[in-house]
Amino acid sequence: MKTAIINIGTIVSGDWRAPFVPGDAILMSGGLLEKVGSVDKADLEACDLVIDAKGVTAVPGFIDSHVHIAFGDYSPRLTAVGFLKDYMFGGTTTAISACEVHVPGRPSDVEGVKALAVAAKKCWDNERPGGMRVHAGNVILEPGLTDADFQELAAKGIWLAKAGFGSVTSPFDYVPLIAAAKRAGMITNVHTGGASLSLANSIYGKHLVAMQADVAFHVNGGPIAMPDEDFELVLKETKSALQIVQAGNIRTALKTLNMVVTNDCFDRFLIGTDTPTGIGVMPEGMIKSITEMSCLSDHPAEWMIAAATGNVAEVYRLNSGFLRPGRDADLLLIDAAFGAPNKTALASIKAGDVTAGVACFTAGIPRYIGRSRCTPPPMRIPEVVKNLRPQTFDPPALLN
Ligand SMILES: [Zn+2]
């Protein structure tokens, strides 16, 4: 399928160092971005679908690096069915499992956690709710896992490991497990802050320094933050990416943001949601955090979009996250909400208003064109000006 979007008002790249792409058009084909900035007449003639964006803003689809995935589009913890489809309508095109800890009766023995990770990965490789891509099979680190286990898991395609929910007696017990997971090439993630599900997992600065995980999950608290004095220690004494989440502490999220900017390491700043959790099922969780970090700080909205897209893709080695030729054609069209005092998506975000979704593409396929059913209505609605495909791409329902 070959698709073009024309008359885009602003193209946000996902790269905070060069946040805008000049031009007004995007061409997608075979699931990838082919051209970003301009297209020619021959391109449009070859397209199955052409969309007039009516001046709205294009951004990479959000990559939520902290979603509580189980099996299927169902959250056992919140008894929520279909939440991932709604997250797509909120702008999330890729979800990374924060480990499958919410699976009812989840095992804690070595064979059990290995089997759970492999089963989750193999199921999610075949399932895309609403068109969203889900990366699951984040192995829960438990005492007893050996180098041979990690090598076996890696050979089966497991590339994510999670510390924080294991039956350890001290967080320092994770140090050798994280090292072994890293030796197998995995991206290691660690719970940060006060305890949540497991009472043994209050993990603070000294633990993070010893562990040297690739990503400090919810560094602003999930939901309880570590002591303030530990933030600088983690920033200076680890290389970990610092994930802030919607379900955490907003004051320490801002503290983290200002710290990474001051210390010139914004690449390490990731925005995720840590949902569904007790805080709720939040389809707009990503755009809400992007908006909060933009309007409460002195830093531009396009940087916060990068923290939810390109920065995450770099840390997790994904081919999405940027509007660049050759990258996955996962993108959103967003606009200022109808009735907002600011007339563009970026100005609205900076002023503290969430935006309206008006289209979502994953793997180059439109998942809806028109009004998102999980955001406010937009100022402008794109128009399909050419469609050689039999289906329309209207959203299935307009609920709010
Ligand atoms: Zn979590």
Side-chain angles (χ1 to χ4, degrees):
M1 180 166 185
K2 209 173 179 79
T3 300
I5 308 172
I6 56 174
N7 294 327
I8 300 169
T10 303
I11 302 175
V12 178
S13 68
D15 176 355
W16 68 276
R17 289 187 176 82
F20 299 109
V21 181
D24 65 355
I26 289 174
L27 182 68
M28 303 172 250
S29 128
L32 300 176
L33 296 166
E34 192 174 318
K35 294 184 178 180
V36 179
S38 61
V39 299
D40 56 35
K41 200 159 166 268
D43 292 326
L44 296 179
E45 277 165 11
C47 276
D48 305 290
L49 186 69
V50 178
I51 297 129
D52 180 339
K54 304 280 188 187
V56 305
T57 300
V59 302
F62 304 142
I63 307 171
D64 186 347
S65 51
H66 200 129
V67 185
H68 280 286
I69 302 285
F71 286 95
D73 196 354
Y74 170 57
S75 163
R77 194 125 179 107
L78 274 286
T79 327
V81 178
F83 74 99
L84 289 169
K85 285 190 197 77
D86 285 340
Y87 279 33
M88 184 279 291
F89 278 102
T92 299
T93 54
T94 300
I96 298 174
S97 171
C99 82
E100 293 75 34
V101 71
H102 288 180
V103 168
R106 64 104 177 165
S108 56
D109 63 299
V110 164
E111 281 312 311
V113 290
K114 284 164 60 183
L116 178 61
V118 172
K121 179 181 168 33
K122 284 182 184 281
C123 288
W124 282 108
D125 283 352
N126 301 321
E127 177 67 8
R128 293 185 68 137
M132 174 191 290
R133 182 184 281 104
V134 176
H135 294 292
N138 192 343
V139 62
I140 301 168
L141 296 182
E142 290 281 4
L145 281 162
T146 63
D147 269 303
D149 292 316
F150 288 111
Q151 297 296 338
E152 178 194 336
L153 285 168
K156 290 174 176 166
I158 301 298
W159 58 280
L160 293 162
K162 166 74 186 284
F165 294 127
S167 317
V168 296
T169 50
S170 152
F172 290 115
D173 295 347
Y174 286 122
V175 172
L177 293 166
I178 286 175
K182 280 186 166 182
R183 281 194 291 276
M186 294 182 189
I187 294 175
T188 54
N189 307 275
V190 59
H191 175 101
T192 305
S196 60
L197 286 183
S198 158
L199 292 181
N201 70 357
S202 287
I203 295 175
Y204 298 146
K206 62 183 177 185
H207 305 123
L208 297 178
V209 171
M211 289 181 201
Q212 296 292 328
D214 295 295
V215 184
F217 263 2
H218 49 61
V219 76
N220 63 320
I224 306 303
M226 63 183 172
D228 275 15
E229 54 268 30
D230 285 15
F231 280 77
E232 191 146 319
L233 181 70
V234 174
L235 182 90
K236 301 233 160 115
E237 301 299 325
T238 77
K239 292 192 168 60
S240 305
L242 307 173
Q243 178 198 69
I244 66 102
V245 298
Q246 173 59 216
N249 173 325
I250 193 169
R251 183 184 64 82
T252 55
L254 270 171
K255 179 183 176 65
T256 307
L257 169 59
N258 290 323
M259 220 173 51
V260 294
V261 174
T262 305
N263 289 277
D264 195 22
C265 55
F266 189 75
D267 296 297
R268 291 168 64 185
F269 189 71
L270 313 183
I271 289 176
T273 67
D274 192 6
T275 62
T277 41
I279 203 83
V281 178
M282 296 190 69
E284 287 192 273
M286 291 298 282
I287 194 68
K288 195 158 189 312
S289 282
I290 289 167
T291 303
E292 289 168 352
M293 292 301 104
S294 300
C295 76
L296 297 175
S297 77
D298 295 330
H299 314 303
E302 53 274 20
W303 284 21
M304 302 314 137
I305 290 171
T309 59
N311 282 10
V312 191
E314 290 288 271
V315 168
Y316 285 92
R317 308 176 204 143
L318 303 177
N319 195 45
S320 53
F322 294 97
L323 297 188
R324 269 180 205 156
R327 293 283 183 158
D328 294 344
D330 291 0
L331 69 93
L332 312 174
L333 297 178
I334 59 174
D335 196 21
F338 188 80
N342 291 280
K343 304 304 176 203
T344 66
L346 292 179
S348 275
I349 290 170
K350 193 63 195 160
D353 285 320
V354 294
T355 52
V358 287
C360 174
F361 298 80
T362 62
I365 298 169
R367 307 304 175 171
Y368 73 88
I369 298 169
R371 181 182 162 190
S372 162
R373 71 190 195 91
C374 289
T375 67
M379 296 267 188
R380 298 162 284 193
I381 292 186
E383 186 185 344
V384 176
V385 291
K386 176 184 178 186
N387 183 8
L388 302 183
R389 295 280 169 141
Q391 70 266 49
T392 65
F393 298 104
D394 298 328
L398 297 176
L399 294 183
N400 58 350

